[in-house]
């Protein structure tokens, strides 16, 4: 608290990121990072990067990267916006599209950064309760609104919404609909093709999860060129150079190595299915996941206790002390070995009373 803060800063309720502990080596299954290293092509690009370039400002428009993304998704360059992590793309989107006379709507259980941006940009919002089984009933979003945002698959539930539901949202709304596809590469079908049909649809993805580049900070949005222009107006009123030159070139190499990307995503999906089975055998109810994490609750032991016991044993998972989900653990899919360690540790904990 400080007398020098503005009223707005006093009122902020900032996002709390998952722990990145520096004190000991954990099996780290708490922040949905990819357990595999980035593509060897990315590593080679960074190794061979000409450090002389660092004296110059980067390309403010990230032209090559936007070109690579446009090609990958079958859209034009002016349909692509890139930002410093999809969190930045989301923040700019909130500012560009959601400060309206009507409230922004999103599911009551979804990415906890959304209410934080509403606080920062003073956007009125309304949350829509999702079903008891954590599925989303799209008809509940059929209310007067100044915008809609939904993660698909949803976080932290891991559950996927059908594309037909997203199309219905776009059709029935005159406001901007954002689909946050941070986890779409682990088994979902992207809504990007729908952006050609609906000029109010913006799809946001990230290099952090499926491309093992959380530390490089890269995210992007695909949508109608007028939406992209709106985002550029905000970006160029904030920071013209959000993507450094090293990140721009490394990201292009990541896009170019599609086979590595496909392989690692598939490995994570296989490990996820295996881990879900094993957890079910240990007495967990595991929600059907289309993401690189699972959301699970145990039949008799509290999630908070399991979280603490796991941490003591060197395994970090995510626990949310929030109504409706305070008996669930969110567990990132690690390597097969890491998941074996998780299962073995849990078995031991569950045998004690
Ligand atoms: C991880 C995540 C993001 C942010 O990803 P970055 O690109 O690392 O900023 C956005 N939305 C959801 C739902 C996420 O889980």
């Amino acid at each position: 608290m400080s007398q020098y803060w503005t009223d707005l800063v006093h009122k902020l309720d900032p996002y709390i990121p998952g722990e990145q502990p520096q004190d000991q080596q954990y099996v780290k299954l708490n922040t949905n990072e990819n357990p595999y290293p980035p593509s060897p092509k990315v590593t080679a690009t960074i190794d061979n990067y000409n450090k002389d370039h660092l004296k110059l400002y980067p390309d403010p428009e990230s032209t090559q990267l936007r070109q690579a993304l446009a090609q990958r998704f079958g859209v034009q360059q002016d349909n692509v916006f890139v930002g410093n992590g999809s969190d930045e793309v989301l923040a700019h989107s909130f500012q560009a599209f959601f400060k309206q006379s009507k409230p922004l709507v999103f599911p009551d259980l979804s990415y906890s950064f959304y209410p934080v941006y509403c606080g920062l940009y003073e956007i009125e919002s309304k949350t829509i309760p999702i079903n008891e089984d954590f599925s989303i009933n799209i008809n509940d979003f059929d209310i007067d609104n100044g915008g809609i945002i939904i993660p698909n698959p949803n976080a932290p539930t891991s559950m996927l919404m059908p594309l037909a539901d997203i199309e219905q949202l776009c059709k029935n709304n005159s406001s901007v609909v954002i689909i946050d596809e941070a986890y779409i590469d682990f088994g979902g079908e992207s809504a990007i093709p729908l952006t050609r049909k609906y000029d109010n649809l913006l799809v946001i993805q990230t290099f952090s999860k499926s491309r093992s580049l959380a530390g490089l900070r890269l995210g992007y949005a695909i949508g109608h060129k007028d939406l992209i222009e709106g985002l550029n107006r905000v970006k160029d009123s904030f920071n013209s150079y959000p993507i450094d030159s090293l990140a721009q070139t490394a990201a292009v190499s990541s896009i170019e190595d599609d086979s590595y990307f496909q392989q690692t995503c598939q490995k994570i999906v296989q490990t996820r299915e295996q881990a879900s089975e094993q957890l079910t055998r240990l007495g967990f109810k595991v929600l059907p996941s289309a993401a690189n994490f699972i959301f699970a609750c145990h039949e008799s032991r509290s999630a908070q206790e399991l979280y603490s016991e796991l941490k003591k044993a060197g395994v970090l998972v995510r626990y949310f002390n929030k109504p409706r989900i305070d008996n669930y653990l969110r567990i990132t899919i690690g390597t097969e070995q890491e998941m074996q360690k998780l299962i073995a540790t849990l078995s031991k904990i569950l045998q004690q009373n």
Side-chain angles (χ1 to χ4, degrees):
M1 289 285 228
S2 159
Q3 58 181 332
Y4 300 118
W5 293 356
T6 61
D7 288 347
L8 177 67
V9 171
H10 275 285
K11 278 190 291 188
L12 292 180
D13 187 7
Y15 178 76
I16 303 165
E19 303 163 81
Q20 299 286 3
Q22 313 289 328
D23 58 328
Q24 76 174 81
Q25 282 276 333
Y26 284 96
V27 173
K28 203 170 168 303
L29 308 175
N30 68 326
T31 48
N32 294 346
E33 288 144 331
N34 198 306
Y36 299 108
S39 149
K41 296 225 165 93
V42 171
T43 309
T45 299
I46 293 175
D47 285 348
N48 299 327
Y49 180 76
N50 182 351
K51 281 81 183 171
D52 259 10
H53 286 164
L54 289 176
K55 72 184 181 200
L56 302 174
Y57 281 106
D59 172 8
E61 293 170 10
S62 299
T63 312
Q64 284 182 355
L65 174 54
R66 283 175 40 246
Q67 184 57 48
L69 287 165
Q71 204 175 346
R72 174 173 172 83
F73 294 114
V75 297
Q76 301 299 308
Q77 247 189 80
D78 58 6
N79 299 121
V80 184
F81 177 83
V82 295
N84 194 253
S86 62
D87 283 341
E88 187 183 78
V89 180
L90 285 164
H92 288 343
S93 303
F94 273 59
Q95 197 169 28
F97 310 122
F98 290 157
K99 190 161 182 176
Q100 306 284 358
S101 52
K102 295 171 196 166
L104 167 69
V105 297
F106 50 85
D108 63 338
L109 289 177
S110 74
Y111 189 33
S112 41
F113 227 133
Y114 301 159
V116 176
Y117 295 133
C118 287
L120 179 61
Y121 296 121
E122 304 185 283
I123 294 166
E124 196 196 331
S125 67
K126 185 175 163 53
T127 54
I128 308 291
I130 64 175
N131 298 326
E132 208 53 46
D133 66 359
F134 298 139
S135 62
I136 291 177
N137 184 355
I138 218 67
N139 296 322
D140 294 342
F141 286 75
D142 209 355
I143 58 166
D144 212 19
N145 67 74
I148 296 176
I149 183 161
I150 304 180
N152 193 43
N154 196 9
T157 68
S158 76
M159 285 169 60
L160 188 72
M161 204 168 57
L163 221 45
D165 282 4
I166 293 170
E167 180 151 19
Q168 187 186 324
L169 275 183
C170 300
K171 220 184 269 181
N172 294 353
N173 270 285
S174 50
S175 58
V176 172
V177 175
I178 294 186
I179 304 298
D180 180 355
E181 293 190 333
Y183 303 104
I184 198 69
D185 298 321
F186 302 104
E189 196 183 346
S190 174
I192 288 176
L194 290 176
T195 59
R196 269 177 261 150
K197 206 163 152 194
Y198 299 97
D199 64 4
N200 60 337
L201 173 63
L202 189 75
V203 178
I204 298 180
Q205 297 190 353
T206 175
F207 282 71
S208 295
K209 279 88 185 217
S210 55
R211 293 188 176 274
S212 310
L213 289 170
L216 207 62
R217 310 305 302 131
L218 276 162
Y220 50 97
I222 312 271
H224 189 276
K225 68 176 176 36
D226 294 347
L227 293 182
I228 301 305
E229 192 189 329
L231 287 172
N232 278 318
R233 289 174 68 101
V234 173
K235 166 198 164 259
D236 289 325
S237 307
F238 178 77
N239 177 5
S240 305
Y241 306 107
I243 321 290
D244 61 76
S245 22
L246 182 61
Q248 289 186 27
T249 41
V252 171
S253 297
S254 168
I255 298 287
E256 284 170 355
D257 195 353
D258 195 55
S259 73
Y260 182 85
F261 167 72
Q262 301 290 352
Q263 273 171 35
T264 45
C265 287
Q266 267 167 30
K267 261 202 278 196
I268 288 169
V269 169
Q270 276 167 14
T271 311
R272 176 186 76 208
E273 295 312 304
Q274 214 177 337
S276 301
E277 256 174 56
Q278 289 170 317
L279 287 169
T280 306
R281 267 185 254 130
L282 288 178
F284 282 90
K285 184 180 86 183
V286 182
L287 298 190
S289 169
N292 69 337
F293 62 91
I294 45 191
F295 207 49
C297 98
H298 194 261
E299 60 192 4
S300 60
R301 303 288 283 268
S302 91
Q304 189 159 29
E305 180 205 343
L306 292 175
Y307 160 80
S308 308
E309 291 294 320
L310 280 169
K311 189 171 177 185
K312 265 190 238 161
V315 180
L316 215 49
V317 299
R318 190 88 187 253
Y319 168 71
F320 300 92
N321 197 354
K322 278 194 201 166
R324 282 183 82 185
I325 54 168
D326 58 359
N327 218 12
Y328 281 80
L329 294 177
R330 193 193 72 186
I331 305 169
T332 305
I333 305 301
T335 60
E336 247 172 77
Q337 220 178 4
E338 288 175 317
M339 297 316 273
Q340 275 167 18
K341 169 94 199 266
L342 167 84
I343 300 290
T345 311
L346 271 174
S347 313
K348 227 186 268 169
I349 294 169
L350 291 167
Q351 276 159 20
Q352 303 153 0
N353 279 306

